[in-house]
Structure formats: C-alpha cells, structure tokens
Amino acid sequence: MDSFDHILNWKLKRGSHTFPGQDGGTCINEAAVVATGFPYQAVRSVHDMPPCFSRPICALAMQMNDEASDDERQQLLPFVTRLACADTLEVEREREAYIAARMRWRLSFQKRLEILTGALAIGRQADDPAPEEVRTRMAGIRHCAAAPTSVDDHPVITHFQGWFVGIF
C-alpha cells in the first residue's frame, strides 16, 4: 500500500460534502470519485456514485467512513482507488452476500477493514491509476477549494450521528 502515499494528506471526514476544502475533507466515496477521474460530486448515497463503482462495496465503505473515529477513518485512504470495481449482477450479489454474512453489531474497525478487503477480492478489480495521475486529480480539486476545510452538507445531522457512534 506504499503507492498510496500520494493521497495520505487528503483528510477523510464523516458525511457528505458540497465541496472539499484545501485539506481534502470528503468522505471516502467522494474522494474515490475524484481519484477515478470523475468531476467532484457530493455523495449522499451509493446511488450517487458513477456506474463503475460497486454498490455493496461503496455502501460498506460509506458506513465505515461515517461510523469511524477521525483516526480510524484515515485508514480507509488506501481503498480510495479500489472502489471503482463494479462487476456483473451475479458478482455484485456475491459481494453483498459476503458482506452481509460477516457484518455484525459491534465489530471493530479492523474487522470491518478485513471484510472490506475480502469483498474487494471478489470479482473484477479496479484499474490501478498511476500515482501521479491520482495526485494531480486530487490536487486539482484542492486547488479549487475556497475554504481551508470542507463543510458538511448536513452538519446538524452529522453532529447527531456522531453522538451515536459506538453506542449500538
């Protein structure tokens, strides 16, 4: 995963964001959209993702992103370039079943990372973009940012979600 040092200064945050800040400041799926070469877009659900992204994998990544602590969330950065791996309906169902069979309440973040890694091993793998290409894409978005940090689309909702992380 050493090839991901080009995005390690990107800051993953909880929730959806209208536009990233100069620190990056997006959820994992919004960062993945940019890293893959699509124009930046806020991602409020997996259905906002371009068709080349695996819905079950993006749903798990979004859940992990939003439930993680700030430090845990940054461990998702190496997965940013791996989410654009949509496959056949059969493979997507297999991924969904794999994730559903393993997800349980109160799993540690590390166990969820293992589930994400296992789901990504099923079916087609994402094309591995050149590190310089990803760095340029991410830097371009950061350069367009007007604010030092991103602003949540729904900061009040995100604040309430933060209260319940780890309770259930």
Side-chain angles (χ1 to χ4, degrees):
M1 295 210 183
D2 293 334
S3 64
F4 296 98
D5 62 342
H6 56 280
I7 59 172
L8 289 180
N9 59 356
W10 192 270
K11 179 86 168 156
L12 293 179
K13 293 187 175 180
R14 178 182 291 133
S16 180
H17 305 87
T18 303
F19 200 80
Q22 295 163 359
D23 64 344
T26 65
C27 74
I28 184 173
N29 288 329
E30 292 164 345
V33 166
V34 173
T36 309
F38 291 95
Y40 181 81
Q41 66 183 51
V43 176
R44 292 170 195 87
S45 100
V46 295
H47 302 292
D48 294 335
M49 300 296 287
C52 63
F53 285 83
S54 170
R55 299 300 188 251
I57 289 173
C58 287
L60 176 58
M62 181 180 288
Q63 178 185 7
M64 291 176 65
N65 181 91
D66 289 349
E67 293 178 356
S69 70
D70 287 339
D71 289 336
E72 289 171 334
R73 189 174 302 111
Q74 303 322 302
Q75 294 178 50
L76 291 171
L77 280 168
F79 295 91
V80 165
T81 59
R82 299 179 62 196
L83 303 183
C85 61
D87 207 319
T88 64
L89 184 57
E90 180 180 320
V91 170
E92 292 302 302
R93 286 183 179 150
E94 184 180 348
R95 288 172 172 166
E96 188 171 29
Y98 176 90
I99 292 166
R102 287 158 180 79
M103 289 297 288
R104 302 286 181 260
W105 286 101
R106 302 195 147 254
L107 282 179
S108 70
F109 184 80
Q110 294 307 314
K111 289 289 185 191
R112 290 176 186 225
L113 275 179
E114 291 172 15
I115 294 169
L116 179 59
T117 300
L120 283 163
I122 298 169
R124 186 180 82 77
Q125 306 300 297
D127 297 332
D128 195 16
E132 185 57 40
E133 188 175 348
V134 174
R135 182 182 304 122
T136 301
R137 291 172 183 163
M138 305 300 258
I141 292 298
R142 291 171 72 162
H143 179 72
C144 295
T149 61
S150 63
V151 177
D152 296 341
D153 274 354
H154 304 286
V156 173
I157 292 171
T158 302
H159 185 69
F160 286 123
Q161 286 173 337
W163 290 352
F164 297 107
V165 172
I167 290 177
F168 298 102

